[in-house]
Structures are given as C-alpha cells and as structure tokens.
Amino acid sequence: MAATFASSSSPSLIDTLFQRSLDDVIRALRSSSSAALEAAAIARALDEIRREIRSPDLDTKVVALQKLTYLASLHHFDMSWAAFHALELLPSTSLPHPRAAYLAASLSFHPSSTDLLPLATHQLRKHLAPSPSNSPALAAPALHLLALASSPNLARHLAPDLLPILSSQSSSNLLRPKAVATALRALAVCPDAAPILFKPLVECLSLSSDPRAVSAAIGAFCELALAAPDPSPYLPLAPEFYRLLVDSRNNWVTIKVLKIFSRLASLEPRVAARIVDPVCELLRCSPAKSLVFECIRTVFSSLLDHDAAVRLAVDKIKEFLASDDDPNLRYLGLQALNMLGPAHSWAVEDSREVVIQALNDTDTNIRREALRLIMVNLCDSNVVDICNMLIKYAIKSDPEFANEIIDSVLATCGRNVYELIVDFDWYVSLLGEMVRNPHFAKGDETERQLVDIGLRVRDARPELIHVARNLLIDPALLGNPFLCRVLSAAAWVSGEYVEFSRNPLELVEALLQPRTNLLPPFVRAVYVQAVFKILAYSFISFIEQIQAGESLAIGNSLNQRGKQEGSDLLAAKSSSDQNNAFEIGHGVATADNAILFDSIEKQEIFKHESISCLLNLIETVVGPLSECDEVEVQERARNVLGLVLIIRGTQFWNIEEEHELTRDNKITKIVELMEAAFSEELGPVSTNAQKRVSVPEGLILNENLSDLLDILGDDGISPCASVSFSFRNHHPTETNKDSASAIEPNSLLSEHRKRHGLYYLPMDNDKSESNDYPCASEPLLPVSHGEDTEDIVKLPAQSLIPEKEKPTRTRPVVIRLDEGDGVLSANLATARESKHDLLSGAIRDVLLRNEKKPSSMHETSPPDRTSQRRENDACENSELISQQKESNSFGDREHGNSSSRKSRPHHKERIESSEQNEEKSHRHSGKSSRHHRRHKHRQREDAPLDIVPQAPVIQDFLL
Amino acid sequence: MIHFVILFSRQGKVRLTKWYSPYQQKERSTVIRELSGLILTRGPKLCNFVEWKGYKVVYRRYASLYFCICIDPDDNELEMLEITHHFVEILDRYFGSVCELDLIFNFHKAYYILDEILIAGELQESSKKTVARLIAAQDSLAETAKGEAGSISNMILQSM
C-alpha cells in the first residue's frame, strides 16, 4: 500500500474538478472498438480510480467507487483492495454515499476473503437500529450485505440487532421480509444464532403477519428444511404450513410450502395423508404451470402411496408431454417421469410413444432426458429390445448424441457388475455392433467391459472371441484412433481365450495383418503378446493331438474301450474349459457333439504344415518389430521370435513324420513349460487387493529418495542417454518407416486383400490406388429426422415395460468380488451434513425449550402452541409406558411432577425416544387391549391437568 | 435457492451479475464464460433449462439480453421463469420500455431493483407496485441528497 502511495501522485483538486463520471467511463469503454483499446481504456480508468479513491473529498471517492464497482462486477476486476475505501463511506451522512458503498460491498465482498467487514460492525448496527431518523434506504442494503457476506462471528454479533426488525408487527414495515432472509443466512453460517433468531422466524408465519413477511419466512423455512439432513425439527410447524397450503393465494408461496411438505411427508405418513387432498385440488384446478409442476413433483417424491394422486399427476404429465409448442413442459414432463423410477414404469409405458419420439427432439436436453428416462426403466426383460433399438438409432443420430446413447447403454448395462444382463452372448455381440457406429468414441469403457466380461463370465468367452475375431479381422477399423483401445481389448481376448476359437490361425493372421502398423505402440504390444499366446496354444494343441492320436492308435490296437478313453482324453486335454462351458450351457447331451465337432475341426487345423506356415508368417511380420524403438513392442516381439526359434530348433521339427515329433524330449519340455506359463487363468482383481498385500520387512515405503538425485546428478549424464540403444537403431523414425514398408510389401497386402476381400473396397480403380486402405470411418449417413421417428416408433414392439416372459436361459455365473466391486461413494457430503446437524440440533433445542417452559409450569399456564401440546403428550406417553412396565399406579400429581423433573436434564434424548415410544404405544394399543385401556385411562386422568383444554391441533391434523 | 443471476447480451457481454453463493472473482469469470458459451449456442425454440455442474440454469432471452438464474436441482424451473419475467416487467415499468442501454448506463439502478426482488437467493417481493414505489422513494431521497451536496461550489469548499 505504501508503495502505491508513493508512486502515484496524490489526489489533487484538479482530479476532483475534472473527475470523469461513471457515464464518461462507460462511454469511453463503449467507444473503444477493439479488445486492445478496451483494455487500454480500462487500465486508464483503473489508474484514475486508484488516485481518486484516496481523495479526502467524499463525492470524488464515491464516484471512483462507483466506477470501480462497475468494472469489478461487469469486467471481473478484483476490487478487494478497495474494500476499506468502501467501508470509509458508510458513516457519511449524505444518503447516496453509504448506498454506493453498500452496493460496492455487496457485489464484491466475499465471506471467505473479506476480513474487513467486522470493522463496520458498529456502523451496520447503527443502520439497523430502528429509529425514526433511520431511513430504510440504509437498513435495507445493510441487511442485504449481511446476508451475502457475513462471517459466523459477525452473524453472531449482529443477530440480536435483527430482532427488533424481525419481530415488528406493523404491516408497513418493509424491512421485515428482508430481515427474514438475512436471518436465514445468519442461521446457515452460524447455527449458534438459532436460539435468538428461530422464534421470531416462526412468528412471522402467524396469521397476523404481513403477507410479505409470511412469504419470506416460508422461503426461509423451505431453505432450512430442504438443506437439513433431518427435517424432523420442522415437523411441529406442520399446521402452520398446512394453513398456508390451503389459504395462500400466492403461487410462489404455495410452491415453497409444497417443497417443505414433500420433505416432511417422508417422516410422517399422516402428513402425507393430510396434504393429498389439497395437492390434488391444486393439480386439478390451478392454471399456473409452475404450481402444477410442483404438485406433480410433490406427488412423485412423497405421495407415491396414494394411487389417485399419482394417476392424476401422471395424467398431468401426459398433458405436459403432449404440449408441442412448449419445449419447457416436455422437458419437465420427462424429468418428472424420471422421478418415478422403475416401480411405476406403467406411467412411462403409458406415454411410450411420446418418450421415444422425444429421442428425436430438436433439443438436445430433451433428447438426453428421454434417454435417461428410458435407461432408468431398463430391466432384465426389456434390456435386449431397448438396447438394440437404441444402438440402431445411434447410427442415425448426430455424433454427440450417438455417443451419449452408447455411453448410457454401456453405463446401464455395466451397472453393478452387469446385473441387468442375462444373455451375455447378446451383450457381447451388441458391444461388437456399437463399435461399428461411425461416431463411436467410447473406446475406453468398451475396452474395459470386453476384458471385464472375459474375466468374469466364463460362459461368454466363446461369443467374446467370436466378436473379437470379427473386430480384429476387419482392416477398416485399424485406422480409427477411437477404436484402438477396443482393438487392444479384442487382441487380448483373442490371446487369452484362444481355446474357444474355431480357427486360431485365422486370428494370428488378423493380428499380423499389414495395417496393424497404424496402431499405437501400446496396442501393438498387446497384439504381439496375443500372437505369442496363440502360437503357444497352437503348438501345444498340435503336440497333444499327436500324443492323443498315438494313444488312440494304441487303444485301437488293444480294444474298443481304450479308444473311447483316448477320445475322452483328447477332449479333456484340448478343450477342458469349453467342455465345462458347454456342460453348463447346454447340458451334457449337446456337450458330446460339440466336443466331437471341435476336435474334428482342430485336427484339420493343426497339421504340421499349418504350424510351419504359422511360424513363417510370424517370422516375416514380427521379425522387423524386434528392431522397433518402442520397448514394449520390441521386447514382446523378441519373445515371440524366441519361441519360434526354440520350436524350429527342436531336433525333429524338420522331419515330416508327425509321430516322430513326440519322441523329442525337448518338445515335451517346451510343451510343459508353455502350459505352465499360460495355465493359470487371469481373474478380476479387487480394488482393495493392494491393501491386503503386507509390506515386506525392511522395505520403507516413505523413505525419501532425494539423495538418489545427488548420485544421478554427479554423473552429469542423463540416465536415458544410453549409447548402445541409439547405435542399434540410429535413425529411429527412418527405421520405423523402413520397417513399415518392409513389413507390408504390396504382395502381402494384396494377398490379404485376396483372402479377405469382403473387408476391402471393390477393385474398380487402377492398380496404384487399389492398394490404398479404405477410409476408417465411413462418411456420415444422411440424417433425416422425419423418417427416423417413424422407424423408431415402428421398431419392434419393444415395450419399455417388462412383459413377464419366461426366462429362456439361466443367467450365467458372473464372478463378483467381495467389497471391491461396485463400491458406492457413501460418505460424500458429510461435512455439509454435520453443519446442518448442528443447525437442526440447535433448532430442535429452541423448539424444545419453548415446550419445556410451559410444561414445567404445567398447571399455571397451558401451552399456547399446538406443537408443544403434542410434544407434551409424547413425553407423557413415553413416561407412561416406562411406568406401566414397572406396573406401578401413580397419583396424577406425583406423575406429573416426576415427569417434568426427570425430563429436564436430558430432554434431547427424550424427544427422540418419545417419538419412538409414541409409535410403540400405538402399536401396543393395537395389540393389547389391556395396554390400550390403560392408555385411555391415563389420558382421562391427564385431562383435568390442562386447565384450558386446547384443541390439540397437531394431533387432529396428523390423525 | 438461487445461486446467482447473470444478464448477458447476445454477443456475450455481461450486463449484470449478482452472486448469492460465495464465488471468488476468478471463478466468477469462468462461470460466466462457460455459461454464456453453453447458452448462446442454443437455438431458439428450445427449452429454457440447461444442466450445468449439478445445478440447473434457467435462462430466457428478452430482446438482445439473456437473463440467467442458477438454481439447485430441486428448485422449480417454471417459478424461476416467472421470477425472471417479473424482474423484466419491473425494469420495464421503471425505465419505460427498457432496453440494453438503460441497464448499461444505470447499472446500479438495476441492482437496486434486483435487490428489492431477491435477497440472499430468496424471492422477496412479489408485488410490482411495491417495488416501483420503493425504488421511487429511494430515488427521491437520493435526488434531494445530491441537490444538497452536488454543486461545484460545494465540492470546492469541501476540498479546500
């Protein structure tokens, strides 16, 4: 501050006389045409303001502050540095000065960063004080500022000053509603203020109050009840709210009352029963859409047990949905249906066509809401139809929405470990289908689910590998950057579950096809690793086949029984997993057939030549990759090549006679080794798995590694600059290209094209072009909205509602881990809740103390507030029960005294237990007539105690 | 409750901002940038609600100005539209067929009017007449005060 003081010249008279007004500054800003000019104009204005605001002349100061306020609120310049100058103007006697100061402060002060406001405590107090000389023109902005920027301390200090305004009864007092709003904020920041502020707030609700004060108070209570984690402290006020619900002619007030009731009704079923009629009445008659909508929301959130009300609300929603000219109503209608949830899916079913039409709305928000609605109502019996419909629809819709559809299908189907999915074969093929959507961009989640299903659902593996094969074999998919994650998953699946593949050799060919060099290295690494697994598997199967064949031959020569054993052996060895799968899926009868079929096919495939051919192919394609400068790819490529070398190196490999092979010990060893390497099945890993691993002894995890830096730094060589590496591939990029062109000479590509022509474009162009790849994603299909809707509506008679069809097949086993899966973040807003707990605790105390006072003077002054009556009764009921247990008969007097004496020290627990007990007592009364009689008896005895037996409004109301 | 009220023009120029929940100055400008980007791209005849970071923003265009109100998800959107309209009608009554320029040159008046309608994110005054009367009373007070202290001679005297 001192520095700025010195640098800029001090304010002079000239500044004061020729000060630019706010209008001048605004004009200057408006006339600056470019952004640069505007910035310059702002900078100049700020310079002036900094000088002028220190002027001793208050008028000059005010104008400067106004200009600063303008710049701060509309151009977002920080004005916290001027906070003190704003406060300086508060005591001025000229009305516009403090008003401008209040405006500046309320726009810029921030509860967390403005620490200067306590300096103004005295001034605020003065402005709030109710004296005739004090103009409301100052008290109003003071209240406003307090509401926006007060800290807990300030709120505590100034709460008593709000009281006179809050409790003034004159209807001309325009400040009262403002004070209510301020009191609400004060309660929010400082729950300690509840004992002072809560009672006057409650009084604002009373009949005699000014309607403005009532409306403000309702707003405040609505805010409090909605924010409180436990709204039960507000339950005693229900009669007041009910009166307002019935009497109020102000829609905005009624809306707030409805909000409060929707919160309270969940606590107390009798409240719900009581408000149903007025709510229905409003639903039927109110012309205001906002009110009708609020009624619908109230019904859907807390009156779901009342069928007539729900029907009425659903009818209203239909009206909303049918309003073609008002997108707002359509949107809100869908949103309200969303609140109903799957339990009332009949309501969605009723408006099925409209909902599906809404998928095609011009407004993305409406489409999104419709999608959400459909997804919420998805269940295991309609998931197939709906998802098929949606994925088909996604192909025709615009990119953004297509991905939203895909996203929500993935999210909904994957929810809680695929709980909706019964038919995993269908789901896996759906995944394969959605990947082909030209706009598809949800690679990560699809990748995760493909792998996850493979790990968790054994029965889905055959279909999974089928889908993976279809994805891998299509060269058109390789160039699409969004698909590489999916392809990586497909490659992993193809390697891991190769035993379910009909044709492993085809898989290898797909994995090594020329275009794979378009893939990023990390996917390529997965591809190469998959090749490794498939090669190992093929080789093992080949050898086992020969061994089995030998034993078969031996068995043949021995007897018929031996032969059967041999084929069993073969079956068990070559496809033990599949064996299991089929046994579960189709029963034992079909299993035999399948195994037979399988083994026949395998015998055809794993011939000596085919394996040789495989080895050749791998050598040709993977060979260049061993020089790749990506470590992952290079290392895995070398692994594969190593395996090829070992196989080739065996003694009898070159001998054509197959049966000779098994004589080689080395081969048996390789087979054993390979089997051991891949026999262990990978399973899903719990998210908590890491925690269960104990830290080995001697390992200090949080040891500081900074001294390593010194060692490394001493070398002066960066560790990665290893010379030998750069020697090997001295032109990394070039080699890359070279190898790329080496891998896929035209002959390879054209051969691939010949074999898989179906995936290539027809060869109608000249030779040079024929070797180009087809473009990865096809040009967008033209979107024609009109047709789509018809299509969509016509689409299979899919109903959103589950038609109870018999489950055609049982759901396969899905592996679930204990705690790790589907974890819900349970403890989210705990901090917030604790604060509100404080508040509602404080409020409960206030209400309770109100009640305690009269109850202790039971005989002299009857409780004047209805709610207190109820609490008293509740207390006595609980007391009653405890005493009944003791089976003592007390005199009236004695009992009344003991009750008030006992209850005082722990009234907080008392109120809770009394509620329970009250319930209990009702139950008791239903069950046992003896208790009931006693209860009655007790009440009769009680009656004379109340000198003025007031109508117990709450009980009436509730019962 | 209402978290903030923002007015901006079709070009994205901010005309009025009022924050009822604590937002730092930096957050404020990012909020405005995001919201104006979100809302200005929406075509006409679409619904007036946008979901934004777990809140709902109710907006409505009057002539070249967009009025936006940010509320909690359980608040009533239609009510907010009505309040917006209420605010616009009061502005209209005060300025006499209000236009963007009125708000630009009388931005503090616009704030005073808004402060009569909303306090602490709660609706205050549902009567147009009362608001008009209150604002007129404030104006006359301010005018008399200015008359007393506004002349140049006064300024010279004070600064001497």
Side-chain angles (χ1 to χ4, degrees), chain B residues 2 12-13 29-30 43 53 57 62-63 66 81 97 114 116 125 137 148 154:
Chain B
I2 298 174
K13 292 251 182 209
S29 39
T30 44
K53 293 190 172 168
V57 177
Y62 288 88
Y66 285 84
L81 280 180
S97 90
L114 184 60
E116 293 300 332
E125 185 52 74
E148 286 163 13
N154 247 344

Side-chain angles (χ1 to χ4, degrees), chain A residues 550-654:
Chain A
E550 276 169 7
S551 68
L552 205 68
I554 296 161
N556 236 344
S557 67
L558 287 173
N559 54 30
Q560 196 66 17
R561 223 172 126 259
K563 185 183 176 182
Q564 270 190 344
E565 268 175 12
S567 73
D568 279 354
L569 188 71
L570 164 84
K573 277 199 177 164
S574 66
S575 59
S576 60
D577 271 337
Q578 199 172 17
N579 198 348
N580 286 343
F582 276 107
E583 260 168 17
I584 294 165
H586 296 281
V588 190
T590 45
D592 286 343
N593 281 340
I595 292 161
L596 198 66
F597 179 63
D598 197 54
S599 56
I600 288 168
E601 185 141 337
K602 288 235 167 79
Q603 262 162 3
E604 269 178 3
I605 289 167
F606 295 121
K607 286 206 174 126
H608 191 274
E609 311 92 73
S610 58
I611 298 281
S612 295
C613 180
L614 185 64
L615 292 179
N616 285 337
L617 175 69
I618 292 174
E619 267 184 332
T620 335
V621 182
V622 180
L625 288 181
S626 67
E627 302 288 318
C628 175
D629 49 355
E630 286 292 334
V631 184
E632 285 284 315
V633 180
Q634 189 200 41
E635 188 178 334
R636 289 169 195 218
R638 279 165 185 261
N639 285 344
V640 178
L641 292 175
L643 181 63
V644 171
L645 269 184
I646 293 174
I647 294 175
R648 280 203 192 282
T650 52
Q651 197 184 345
F652 291 97
W653 182 254
N654 294 323

Side-chain angles (χ1 to χ4, degrees), chain A residues 72-145:
Chain A
S73 81
L74 300 189
H75 295 267
H76 313 295
F77 283 97
D78 181 37
M79 65 173 284
S80 53
W81 56 271
F84 184 72
H85 298 292
L87 295 183
E88 270 182 329
L89 281 168
L90 283 185
S92 163
T93 47
S94 162
L95 187 66
H97 295 171
R99 276 183 70 80
Y102 273 125
L103 179 65
S106 70
L107 286 179
S108 66
F109 279 21
H110 192 272
S112 66
S113 62
T114 308
D115 41 8
L116 285 176
L117 198 52
L119 292 180
T121 312
H122 178 65
Q123 202 53 49
L124 284 169
R125 192 168 274 161
K126 230 167 124 185
H127 284 159
L128 290 176
S131 73
S133 66
N134 228 342
S135 144
L138 284 181
L143 287 171
H144 196 93
L145 177 61

Side-chain angles (χ1 to χ4, degrees), chain A residues 13 57 73 76 99 107 110 177-178 185 212 223 252 259 290 294 297 328 331 363 365 372, chain B residues 1 17 23 28 32 42 47-49 51 74-76 82 116 122-125 138 158-159:
Chain A
L13 183 59
D57 175 38
S73 81
H76 313 295
R99 276 183 70 80
L107 286 179
H110 192 272
K178 293 194 167 68
R185 289 286 137 228
R212 273 189 289 272
E223 206 56 51
W252 290 338
K259 277 188 192 306
S290 56
E294 197 57 48
R297 283 230 287 223
N328 288 344
Y331 175 82
D363 190 340
N365 287 357
R372 211 179 283 172
Chain B
M1 67 174 273
T17 57
Y23 284 86
R28 292 179 180 186
I32 290 174
R42 284 174 65 79
C47 71
N48 295 92
F49 319 122
E51 281 175 31
D74 48 6
D75 281 324
N76 191 317
E82 289 167 5
E116 293 300 332
E122 299 297 323
L123 180 73
Q124 269 295 308
E125 185 52 74
Q138 287 173 15
Q158 276 176 12
S159 56

Side-chain angles (χ1 to χ4, degrees), chain B residues 48-62:
Chain B
N48 295 92
F49 319 122
V50 226
E51 281 175 31
W52 174 78
K53 293 190 172 168
Y55 297 111
K56 279 190 289 200
V57 177
V58 179
Y59 72 93
R60 184 147 178 188
R61 185 176 158 184
Y62 288 88

